[in-house]
Amino acid sequence: EEVEAMPPLLLPVAIILAISHCTPVHASIIELRAGNVDTEKTQEISQIEASLQDEEQRPYLVNLKEVNEDIKGSISRIIHESLEEYIPENTFVIMASHSEIYEIQKLAGVAWVGDYKAGYKVSPDMEKGARKLTVLLGHDMHRGDEETLKFAQVLSESCKIAATMATSKTLLISLKDEEDALKIASCTSNHHPVLWIEERKDVKVWSTPTTGNIQNLHEPKPAIHFRSTDL
């Protein structure tokens, strides 16, 4: 039986339309205050040798095809946390272990998963001469004051600084005149629980009997558009 051939000029158009139809629609640019991440040019996380895997919580960028309650619920059930740190477009910073993030990566509603690198955590407005820093920790509903105090001690010893707790999600660092704020921020950013570091200016702190809040009155919008009321 003779089959009529498609006209040569129409074939490329048909292929393009098929590709466009099958490609998920999602934002490829994740806008961070410390720089943009192009998911089409930045390598996704990949499986690593089993001998190197552990269950330590690390921060990851999880880019969704679209934000809806179904995919948010699926991720929350894996990490046993609510999704708090949102970045336009369609992206969350998620604290997860290796096994959890690989499970998240396989979800149908997830477009791309990448490391939330240390370089993403430091405000581009940071200057060497800054004397006070605010350190925001990633969301962890299981982290109380005791765990935050322990991390402040670990950070202080590791970076040779004086880190103190402001809230269960916020640390304050006071630097000596001879200390380089950029080097301290770089050291601090290498610790997994840290989400964001910026210079502390004109800070107003207040608290209630059950929780503490910290608000930076004159800084520009943070790296993450928080849904939490902690900042």
Side-chain angles (χ1 to χ4, degrees):
E1 182 178 353
E2 187 175 344
V3 178
E4 183 177 355
M6 182 180 290
L9 292 177
L10 296 181
L11 184 58
V13 177
I15 293 174
I16 291 171
L17 290 176
I19 293 173
S20 299
H21 178 73
C22 296
T23 302
V25 178
H26 65 277
S28 63
I29 302 297
I30 300 173
E31 297 182 355
L32 304 173
R33 267 185 61 194
N36 294 340
V37 179
D38 188 339
T39 62
E40 294 181 354
K41 297 180 180 179
T42 306
Q43 185 176 4
E44 278 195 273
I45 61 167
S46 57
Q47 294 280 355
I48 60 176
E49 295 180 15
S51 61
L52 298 178
Q53 292 188 18
D54 59 57
E55 292 304 302
E56 183 179 357
Q57 299 287 304
R58 293 172 168 81
Y60 295 94
L61 291 169
V62 178
N63 182 235
L64 307 179
K65 295 175 182 177
E66 64 174 333
V67 177
N68 56 57
E69 293 306 314
D70 288 340
I71 185 61
K72 287 172 60 181
S74 296
I75 295 173
S76 291
R77 284 189 289 273
I78 292 172
I79 62 175
H80 307 290
E81 291 274 3
S82 59
L83 304 188
E84 296 290 335
E85 282 83 31
Y86 177 72
I87 303 173
E89 294 286 340
N90 298 353
T91 304
F92 288 89
V93 177
I94 291 174
M95 302 295 293
S97 65
H98 281 130
S99 58
E100 290 170 340
I101 202 64
Y102 295 137
E103 190 174 350
I104 289 170
Q105 191 176 31
K106 295 174 184 176
L107 294 174
V110 172
W112 180 90
V113 175
D115 290 312
Y116 184 64
K117 299 178 181 179
Y120 303 157
K121 301 178 182 181
V122 181
S123 169
D125 302 324
M126 181 76 68
E127 296 182 354
K128 179 179 179 179
R131 296 301 89 194
K132 294 182 179 180
L133 308 181
T134 296
V135 179
L136 186 67
L137 306 182
H139 176 69
D140 184 349
M141 64 181 293
H142 305 295
R143 184 197 300 119
D145 290 352
E146 184 176 349
E147 288 75 19
T148 302
L149 286 169
K150 287 180 180 178
F151 177 67
Q153 183 176 358
V154 169
L155 185 62
S156 296
E157 293 174 354
S158 173
C159 297
K160 296 179 174 57
I161 54 173
T164 58
M165 184 184 77
T167 74
S168 61
K169 195 175 179 179
T170 312
L171 300 181
L172 303 179
I173 298 175
S174 297
L175 304 181
K176 299 176 182 178
D177 291 340
E178 67 274 13
E179 291 180 314
D180 185 331
L182 293 175
K183 290 183 179 180
I184 297 300
S186 178
C187 178
T188 301
S189 69
N190 287 316
H191 290 75
H192 295 317
V194 173
L195 188 69
W196 181 248
I197 310 161
E198 65 183 8
E199 183 177 0
R200 181 185 176 216
K201 296 179 180 178
D202 299 319
V203 175
K204 179 181 179 181
V205 179
W206 68 95
S207 62
T208 67
T210 57
T211 185
N213 295 287
I214 183 166
Q215 177 180 326
N216 198 317
L217 301 180
H218 301 296
E219 283 288 288
K221 292 182 180 179
I224 295 168
H225 291 243
F226 296 97
R227 293 184 174 180
S228 167
T229 58
D230 286 341
L231 188 70

